[in-house]
Amino acid sequence: MVDVSKHELVPEHTVLEEEDLEEVLTEYDIDRTDLPKIKRNDPALPDDAEVNDVIEIVRDSRTTDRAVVYRLVVE
């Protein structure tokens, strides 16, 4: 079976630590539940991701070299 998370076109997904999450939520003046969602069964998620974790996704970008987005893991 192929591990989708290792594919070259899948951006890096990491579980965000609580301290870093608080900084992000404060910077954008939002709550955790305001973040876009990602399903727990998404094959790109790290194995240690659990429901209510926040995932940091780092993508290549033509305009800014890299784009960082955040997703809340849901059931």
Side-chain angles (χ1 to χ4, degrees):
M1 176 149 311
V2 175
D3 184 359
V4 175
S5 66
K6 303 296 183 207
H7 193 279
E8 66 182 50
L9 296 178
V10 175
E12 175 187 348
H13 289 61
T14 55
V15 177
L16 200 61
E17 298 295 328
E18 283 298 318
E19 307 84 49
D20 298 329
L21 173 59
E22 289 305 319
E23 290 178 20
V24 170
L25 296 177
T26 301
E27 178 180 349
Y28 293 107
D29 192 27
I30 59 173
D31 293 323
R32 179 188 296 248
T33 55
D34 295 330
L35 291 167
K37 313 300 187 272
I38 188 169
K39 294 248 182 190
R40 172 60 196 107
N41 60 0
D42 189 301
L45 282 179
D47 292 334
D48 59 339
E50 298 179 5
V51 174
N52 285 329
D53 281 346
V54 173
I55 304 300
E56 178 182 63
I57 303 170
V58 181
R59 299 182 176 131
D60 291 334
S61 170
R62 290 186 207 160
T63 56
T64 63
D65 287 327
R66 59 180 233 145
V68 179
V69 295
Y70 302 95
R71 299 286 184 266
L72 176 65
V73 179
V74 295
E75 195 65 42

